[in-house]
Amino acid sequence: MAEEKSLNFIEEIIEEDLKSGKYKSILTRFPPEPNGYLHIGHAKSICLNFGLALKYGGKTNLRFDDTNPVTEETEYVDSIQEDIKWLGFEWDKTLYASDYFEQLYEFAVKLINKGLAYVDDSTSEQIAAEKGTPTQPGTESKYRSRSITENLQLFADMCAGEYEDGSKVLRAKIDMASPNMHMRDPILYRIKHAHHHRTEDNWCIYPMYDFAHGQSDSIENITHSICTLEFIPHRPLYDWLIENLEIFPSHQYEFARLNLTYTVMSKRRLLQMVNEKFVTGWDDPRMPTITAMRRRGYTADSIRDFCDKIGVAKRENLIDVGLLEFCVREHLNKISLRRMVVLDPLKIVITNYDEGRTEMVSIENNPEDPDSGYREVPFSNEIYIEQEDFMEVPSKKYFRLAPGQMVRLKSAYIIKCEEVVKDEDGKLTEIRCTHIPESKSGADTSGIHVKGTLHWVSIKHAVHAELRLYDRLFKVENVNAAEGDFKDHINHDSLQVISTAYAEPALLHAKFDERYQFLRKGYFCLDKDTSEEKLVFNRTVTLRDTWAKEQKKH
RNA sequence: UGCCUGAUAGUAUAAGGGUAGUACGACAGAUUUUGGUUCUGUAUGUCUAGGUUCGAAUCCUGGUCGGGCAACCA
C-alpha cells in the first residue's frame, strides 16, 4: 500500500489544469544552454521536468537554448545528452532554439509591423543609462519613434550583415517607466558575427533569451515551462510576447534552485575551477557535476532519490550535502560487493600459524544480499591490518587490538596481541600475535567473545592499488554567503592519494560497473585511470563512522 | 526611495480553518563476525504585533527579516 505523498506546488497546478480540462496532457522541457557540464542542480530540474511528465503521462523535450554562439560548444551538447540518459530519463524530441531562428525572425517582423518593436542605434552604454535604475524610471531612446517601414528595412539590413557587432539592436517597445526593469524596452536581437555550433555562419543576428525561450516553448506547445526563481521578473515579458505574437500560451512557473553546503553550483564558477586547474576537469570526482559524480561512483538511483527527498518549493534553500551522501550510502549498501583493503598497513605476524601455510576462508560478498554468494580469501601467518586498529595504550572504549587484547579477524580467527616490535626510533614495525585455532569463523568452539572485528589482507597474496580519497572542495558551509572571493574558501586538501593500498586478490578482477565496499573504509569504484599496470579506485563516500564521532568528542 | 518574491525543529519539506507530521542531522539504547546495516526511543519548530473565528501555521491588516531585479548572458 503506497503511502499517499503530498504534492509540491507545481504538481498541484498540473492536477488543477488537468482536472479543469485546460490541458489533456502535459508537455515539459529541459532547456540547458550548451555552455558547460550539467551539475547536481540541473539534476533537480531534470528530475522535476521528466518526473512530472512521467507522473502525469506526458512528455519532455530536450531543447538546447543555444542563442549565444560565443559560449556554446558541441562538446557540451554531447555531454548533456549523455548525462540525462545516464540519470535514466528519455526525452521526446531533441530540439534546439537555433532550429527556430527563421521563425523567430518572422516573429520579430510581426512585432515591428504591430509597432511593438524598433531598431535602436544607441550604444550599449547609452541603452544602459537610459534604462534607469530599479528605483528610477528609464527614458525613451531617440530611435524609439522610427517608422514601421524604417524599422523593417533596418532589421532586414541587420540580418543581412550590413552592420557591425553592437551597432544596432532590435528592442521591444513596451514601457520605459515600468517598475519591472525587464519591461523597459528589452533587447530582442543583437548583432554577433560569430560562428554558431549548428547554424554555422548563416546568421549574424541572434535572439536574446527572452525572445527565444518563451517563443520556443510556444512553438513546441509546452504546457508547463518550469524554471528557477531568478526568472520571475521575466514572466511579464514572457507573457507579453506570447500575447502580442498571438501564439500558443505556454506558462512559466518558477521553483527555487538547489544549493548544497560546501559546494558551488554556478557554471561560471565551475568553469573557473576547471580553467584555473583547481580540479583536473569537469569530471574531477570532487566536482558537483553529473559526470564527476558518475566517475566518483554515485549511482543514478541515488541522485534521483536525493532529488525526490529535497522536494520542490519556492523558498531559497541550502541542502546539507550530508543528505546526498546518505542517499548514496543507502543505495551502495544494498548493491556493493564487500572486499577487504588495508590503506595504512601494520604488519601482524601470527607466531603459532605455520609459515608456509595458506588457508582459504570463505567470506560473504554482501550481507545485505543473500544471492551475492561467497568468495574465498587467502589467509596466512603474515597479514596487514590498519595502523588505527592497534593502540599500544588503548583509550577506554577502544575495542580493537592492544597489548594482551583479542580481536577477531573478519571471517578468520581470533588473535591475541602478544608482543609489540619497534625499531631503534621507537616506531612500530610489527605486532606478534597468536591465533586461537578453534575460533575459526563458522566452526568456532572457543567460546571466546570479542567485541572488535578487523579487516585484514594476507601480505604475500596482497594486490597493490592506488586509492583516491576525496573531501569537500570548500571549507565553508555556505560558499555564496562567505566573505571574499569564492576561491579563498577552496579546501586545498580535498584530494588524498594513497599510492599503495593492499587489497585482497579478488580485486585484481574488479569491474568498472561494479561497486565495492572496502570493509570499514567506505564505498569505492574503479576509476578510469586504471591501467594494466595499476588499479585505481575512487572512494565514493565513507561509511558512517560513529567511532570517529565518539573520538572527536574528547 | 520602487517593483517582484519568500518566511514551519539545526537543514529541508508536509499539514490548505480542527491532534504541527516526515526525512536527514543530533542524542540515548538494542542487535551485529563491518564501531557498517537494521531496529527502538528522546529532544528541538509555525518571523512578529494585532484582528476575524468556538478554533489560525493556514484567512485579514501592519511590521520585521531574507532573496531577486539596472548583461547586446541564460
Side-chain angles (χ1 to χ4, degrees):
Chain A
M1 196 63 189
E3 191 83 353
E4 194 168 320
K5 213 194 158 203
S6 58
L7 304 178
N8 64 49
F9 76 102
I10 297 175
E11 291 171 327
E12 284 176 4
I13 291 166
I14 289 174
E15 294 205 355
E16 191 59 38
D17 288 347
L18 256 16
K19 198 172 135 197
S20 73
K22 183 173 175 183
Y23 302 115
K24 289 250 180 327
S25 64
I26 64 161
L27 184 59
T28 59
R29 102 272 89 116
F30 176 63
E33 183 189 12
N35 68 347
Y37 280 69
L38 260 26
H39 54 61
I40 184 78
H42 291 109
K44 177 179 180 183
S45 173
I46 290 168
C47 290
L48 214 209
N49 278 295
F50 284 89
L52 253 14
L54 248 21
K55 179 168 180 176
Y56 295 105
K59 289 176 176 173
T60 306
N61 287 339
L62 168 61
R63 183 178 70 235
F64 291 97
D65 235 333
D66 55 350
T67 57
N68 185 4
V70 299
T71 58
E72 296 155 6
E73 293 172 28
T74 46
E75 176 198 351
Y76 298 129
V77 170
D78 297 338
S79 74
I80 288 167
Q81 303 199 42
E82 187 186 357
D83 289 346
I84 300 171
K85 280 185 210 156
W86 178 77
L87 276 174
F89 295 105
E90 285 176 34
W91 56 91
D92 188 36
K93 296 177 183 137
T94 310
L95 301 165
Y96 297 80
S98 55
D99 290 338
Y100 311 133
F101 281 173
E102 200 68 50
Q103 189 158 5
L104 260 13
Y105 181 86
E106 294 305 323
F107 284 160
V109 169
K110 179 168 185 175
L111 239 31
I112 295 172
N113 274 315
K114 292 180 86 171
L116 293 174
Y118 62 99
V119 172
D120 194 332
D121 301 1
S122 307
T123 62
S124 60
E125 294 75 21
Q126 183 70 21
I127 290 176
E130 286 174 354
K131 198 136 203 169
T133 70
T135 53
Q136 290 168 305
T139 52
E140 295 182 355
S141 165
K142 65 178 175 185
Y143 301 99
R144 198 174 199 258
S145 52
R146 291 219 253 228
S147 70
I148 289 174
T149 323
E150 190 184 1
N151 281 319
L152 250 17
Q153 186 60 50
L154 254 15
F155 186 53
D157 291 344
M158 274 171 65
C159 183
E162 303 200 1
Y163 303 112
E164 295 290 301
D165 286 12
S167 61
K168 284 182 168 50
V169 290
L170 182 74
R171 290 228 257 171
K173 190 189 284 190
I174 307 179
D175 177 9
M176 288 308 289
S178 169
N180 181 343
M181 298 292 290
H182 296 274
M183 297 298 272
R184 324 242 263 226
D185 289 11
I187 293 171
L188 267 23
Y189 266 94
R190 77 284 215 191
I191 301 170
K192 271 181 198 280
H193 291 270
H195 186 83
H196 187 278
H197 74 113
R198 296 189 75 241
T199 61
E200 307 196 324
D201 300 308
N202 292 345
W203 295 85
C204 63
I205 58 170
Y206 292 92
M208 296 287 288
Y209 166 84
D210 286 306
F211 199 65
H213 198 102
Q215 289 46 249
S216 301
D217 286 341
S218 184
I219 290 166
E220 293 170 22
N221 283 12
I222 299 298
T223 55
H224 301 262
S225 177
I226 300 162
C227 62
T228 46
L229 253 29
E230 66 270 26
F231 291 98
I232 289 176
H234 294 248
R235 185 169 5 111
L237 178 56
Y238 183 102
D239 293 338
W240 185 92
L241 286 166
I242 281 176
E243 189 189 335
N244 287 289
L245 256 12
E246 300 163 81
I247 53 181
F248 180 83
S250 297
H251 289 280
Q252 174 182 306
Y253 302 95
E254 311 87 7
F255 72 99
R257 62 153 19 105
L258 168 67
N259 293 292
L260 266 188
T261 55
Y262 304 100
T263 309
V264 296
M265 206 77 87
S266 90
K267 276 195 276 187
R268 201 193 92 247
R269 285 173 167 183
L270 294 177
L271 181 63
Q272 219 173 326
M273 299 289 288
V274 173
N275 287 343
E276 297 175 25
K277 313 275 188 228
F278 290 107
V279 293
T280 57
W282 286 99
D283 70 343
D284 184 303
R286 294 166 291 179
M287 291 280 273
T289 53
I290 305 300
T291 184
M293 290 182 173
R294 176 166 63 233
R295 180 175 174 186
R296 181 161 170 167
Y298 285 24
T299 60
D301 283 58
S302 60
I303 293 174
R304 276 189 264 114
D305 180 40
F306 170 72
C307 291
D308 190 51
K309 281 188 162 73
I310 59 178
V312 176
K314 296 190 78 149
R315 74 187 84 110
E316 303 271 349
N317 59 78
L318 179 61
I319 309 273
D320 187 346
V321 71
L323 179 61
L324 211 209
E325 293 173 344
F326 168 83
C327 294
V328 172
R329 287 191 190 105
E330 191 178 44
H331 187 216
L332 257 17
N333 177 49
K334 291 184 191 128
I335 64 168
S336 294
L337 296 172
R338 311 296 136 124
R339 295 293 183 258
M340 296 197 292
V341 178
V342 172
L343 279 59
D344 184 17
L346 174 62
K347 184 178 176 182
I348 302 286
V349 178
I350 301 168
T351 54
N352 64 343
Y353 196 90
D354 291 345
E355 219 173 289
R357 185 176 169 205
T358 294
E359 186 178 359
M360 300 306 283
V361 302
S362 186
I363 311 185
E364 73 275 10
N365 282 319
N366 182 356
E368 303 296 316
D369 176 9
D371 298 330
S372 65
Y374 291 77
R375 69 190 184 286
E376 301 289 304
V377 180
F379 180 83
S380 68
N381 73 316
E382 291 191 340
I383 60 167
Y384 283 137
I385 64 167
E386 300 288 347
Q387 293 271 0
E388 64 176 13
D389 287 339
F390 173 80
M391 256 184 130
E392 196 166 8
V393 186
S395 56
K396 39 184 179 311
K397 288 184 190 166
Y398 191 81
F399 48 80
R400 301 178 188 175
L401 199 61
Q405 297 299 304
M406 289 191 280
V407 289
R408 174 169 292 282
L409 295 173
K410 171 71 182 173
S411 296
Y413 298 93
I414 291 173
I415 56 169
K416 181 177 184 186
C417 172
E418 307 283 3
E419 188 186 350
V420 176
V421 184
K422 297 179 181 176
D423 64 15
E424 299 142 355
D425 304 327
K427 193 171 165 285
L428 273 181
T429 53
E430 65 178 50
I431 308 293
R432 298 178 76 79
C433 298
T434 50
H435 78 296
I436 317 293
E438 58 274 20
S439 68
K440 189 173 178 184
S441 285
D444 186 352
T445 56
S446 71
I448 301 169
H449 290 282
V450 294
K451 202 133 189 240
T453 299
L454 309 184
H455 63 282
W456 51 273
V457 172
S458 165
I459 295 176
K460 68 168 162 251
H461 303 96
V463 170
H464 295 192
E466 176 178 314
L467 265 39
R468 297 176 183 173
L469 314 184
Y470 307 105
D471 196 355
R472 34 203 56 157
L473 254 184
F474 291 88
K475 291 180 288 191
V476 293
E477 210 173 53
N478 188 344
V479 186
N480 290 327
E483 298 269 317
D485 189 79
F486 81 100
K487 285 182 284 182
D488 298 344
H489 307 290
I490 291 176
N491 172 14
H492 295 285
D493 300 317
S494 57
L495 170 64
Q496 186 194 347
V497 178
I498 293 179
S499 47
T500 310
Y502 299 88
E504 62 166 270
L507 281 170
L508 202 53
H509 311 291
K511 297 191 188 79
F512 280 96
D513 58 354
E514 276 177 345
R515 305 305 158 102
Y516 304 96
Q517 185 198 104
F518 292 175
L519 236 56
R520 308 204 301 140
K521 288 280 123 190
Y523 295 98
F524 288 78
C525 70
L526 211 51
D527 185 76
K528 67 173 188 181
D529 288 345
T530 291
S531 63
E532 291 284 312
E533 295 79 43
K534 190 170 72 168
L535 286 167
V536 180
F537 291 94
N538 295 310
R539 183 165 68 191
T540 308
V541 66
T542 60
L543 254 24
R544 222 173 124 238
D545 192 346
T546 49
W547 171 240
K549 210 189 303 175
E550 178 70 28
Q551 284 175 303
K552 265 186 205 164
K553 287 184 202 166
H554 306 295

